[in-house]
Amino acid sequence: MIESLFSDADALFLARFQFAFTVAFHIIFPAFTIGLASYLAVLEGLYLKTRNPVYQKLFRYWVKIFAVAFGMGVVSGIVMSYQFGTNWSVFSDKAGPVIGPLMGYEVLTAFFLEAGFLGVMLFGMNRVGEKLHFFATLMVAIGTAISAFWILSVNSWMHTPAGYAMNDAGQYIVSSWMEVIFNPSFPYRLAHMLLAAYLTTALVVGGVGAWHLLRDRSNAVARKMFSMAMWMALLVAPLQVFVGDLHGLNTQEYQPAKVAAMEGHFETQTRAPLYLFGMPDEATATVDYAIKIPGLASLILKHDINAEVTGLDAFPRDEWPPVPVVFWAFRVMVGLGLLMLFLGLWAGVQRARGQLYQAPWLHRAAVVMAPAGFVAVIAGWIVTEVGRQPWVIYNLLRTADAASPIAAEGVGGSLLAFIVVYFLVFGAGTFYILRKMAANPEDVHIPDYAKPQPVGMAAERLMNEED
């Protein structure tokens, strides 16, 4: 059955599709848990400082959601790593001396840190001291950021390789670890991804808070949830626009073909237009039905409206990325980013007017925008990874030369298994998370022993427990 289904398929295409499928599933969980771990640390810190029970209710409400999302992120990440050996063994052999240690550092630092303190964070709230529990939460949050550090370093090296040499076996080896880790695109990618994670979390938290405010605008816990999320959107969205511009300038310097595809520029030209919309046609090297602003692309990319911008005609056709995919994914990412900016500004205006909790249309918009961060992150990764094609290591190793010598039937069979299992397992997990989000945060129960008590009462309780 499987042999006949994939007998005429291209093994390389199936391997690429399988990795894209698993990456798309995986990235939404770290994008959420990186921001949510930091949010939980902030909530617990605010509770310890103010003793406001609202913060503890918010912590207990979101920590269960974090646990499920974190678990799904770990599982989906492990599955991805196996594909390096099954579908991309040539890449693993040639780049292993560089990539392998970096992935190992991620496990030794970030994963061990997260795993060591995650149990205390999830199950030690009533078993260890408050300060130790807060420290554990903080360590988990730091661990998620360190994990992003190493993974983004690996991915960035594949885009802007540096600090390497080649040995007699044709493998890329390290000549400078500092240059490998802190390669030219790494700082921009790391900042862009971390801010995307914080925005993604803010939109989810804000959407959940807005959902409950639409039901009961006097809900104190939902009010605090929504207020904190909208502060984050107001502050981080403009910063993300700024960092995104820096990232774009860096990409223009090191991967001009990708930027040309993002902008739909088939020709090198001065006063390059910014295409708002259009239908790129690779066959005719034109953008059909284009809506454009003359000179704006030159101004954005070169900060000079009369500057020359490199087009795809400067590169051989076999080095062009798939232009329509990159072009539209980029517009989805930027369009959603602008909507996030607008949402934050709208909430800021309503806050200044004293109407933040009496603005049902704002709350409806926040609910609609809740999944926007996930869509923007996936679109951004499509721009990044599809825009790098046809290279798996930019200008060094082509994707077609990096795949394993495996039959299409083998790749297709595992791809079908992934699709079925992912939709069942992660679908069930997502359903559970949505059920948790639908629960009223006001109903979160705080046990009596977890409430602030005079020192004498706390000591008496501990002695009773020991007895």
Side-chain angles (χ1 to χ4, degrees), residues 47-396:
Y47 171 71
L48 292 178
K49 181 180 180 180
T50 65
R51 295 295 174 178
N52 185 344
V54 168
Y55 293 119
Q56 187 172 150
K57 283 192 173 186
L58 279 173
F59 180 89
R60 290 174 177 266
Y61 182 84
W62 284 105
V63 75
K64 296 178 182 178
I65 295 171
F66 171 83
V68 178
F70 185 86
M72 291 195 290
V74 170
V75 172
S76 59
I78 291 173
V79 170
M80 283 174 50
S81 64
Y82 282 114
Q83 293 177 65
F84 288 123
T86 57
N87 298 345
W88 303 101
S89 59
V90 178
F91 166 76
S92 299
D93 175 60
K94 289 184 176 294
V98 177
I99 301 297
L102 294 179
M103 301 291 284
Y105 298 153
E106 191 261 343
V107 174
L108 287 173
T109 56
F111 192 72
F112 279 14
L113 187 65
E114 294 165 346
F117 287 99
L118 184 65
V120 179
M121 173 185 169
L122 296 180
F123 308 111
M125 187 176 297
N126 308 318
R127 294 175 173 83
V128 301
E130 289 180 329
K131 292 182 179 179
L132 177 56
H133 188 270
F134 173 60
F135 179 76
T137 304
L138 196 60
M139 288 302 100
V140 172
I142 293 173
T144 60
I146 294 176
S147 180
F149 176 94
W150 290 115
I151 297 301
L152 267 295
S153 179
V154 169
N155 183 263
S156 299
W157 184 84
M158 294 165 63
H159 286 267
T160 51
Y164 68 92
M166 183 170 284
N167 64 14
D168 295 336
Q171 296 174 309
Y172 300 102
I173 59 175
V174 176
S175 60
S176 170
W177 276 114
M178 289 297 292
E179 291 181 16
V180 167
I181 296 170
F182 298 98
N183 57 79
S185 65
F186 169 66
Y188 305 97
R189 291 180 182 280
L190 178 64
H192 198 52
M193 184 62 212
L194 288 177
L195 290 175
Y198 297 143
L199 266 177
T200 298
T201 302
L203 290 172
V204 173
V205 173
V208 173
W211 170 265
H212 292 290
L213 285 176
L214 287 170
R215 294 181 168 187
D216 178 11
R217 66 177 60 178
S218 65
N219 188 320
V221 183
R223 282 183 170 221
K224 183 64 68 176
M225 188 190 307
F226 184 69
S227 176
M228 295 177 73
M230 291 302 101
W231 271 123
M232 181 63 76
L234 178 62
L235 297 175
V236 176
L239 184 59
Q240 180 71 310
V241 172
F242 174 73
V243 171
D245 178 63
L246 295 179
H247 185 17
L249 295 177
N250 178 266
T251 307
Q252 170 69 21
E253 179 179 357
Y254 290 96
Q255 295 178 306
K258 178 190 291 186
V259 174
M262 288 160 51
E263 300 293 342
H265 292 155
F266 289 97
E267 297 180 359
T268 301
Q269 56 188 311
T270 57
R271 294 182 62 86
L274 176 68
Y275 290 105
L276 300 178
F277 299 101
M279 300 297 294
D281 187 336
E282 291 179 327
T284 60
T286 58
V287 179
D288 300 328
Y289 314 107
I291 300 175
K292 60 185 179 179
I293 302 176
L296 189 55
S298 292
L299 182 63
I300 293 173
L301 295 172
K302 300 287 188 176
H303 292 176
D304 179 0
I305 196 170
N306 296 309
E308 181 179 85
V309 174
T310 303
L312 288 167
D313 60 352
F315 308 93
R317 279 245 177 185
D318 65 349
E319 294 184 9
W320 286 15
V323 180
V325 176
V326 179
F327 180 87
W328 278 108
F330 179 69
R331 272 143 191 80
V332 170
M333 179 186 67
V334 173
L336 289 174
L338 293 176
L339 288 176
M340 296 173 198
L341 178 64
F342 174 74
L343 181 67
L345 293 174
W346 186 5
V349 171
Q350 293 296 81
R351 189 190 302 273
R353 297 172 57 190
Q355 298 294 315
L356 185 64
Y357 310 118
Q358 291 80 34
W361 282 107
L362 171 64
H363 301 160
R364 294 186 183 100
V367 172
V368 172
M369 286 292 291
F374 298 116
V375 179
V377 166
I378 293 174
W381 275 101
I382 290 174
V383 172
T384 297
E385 301 307 311
V386 178
R388 181 181 56 195
Q389 299 305 316
W391 307 98
V392 66
I393 304 177
Y394 197 69
N395 283 338
L396 295 179

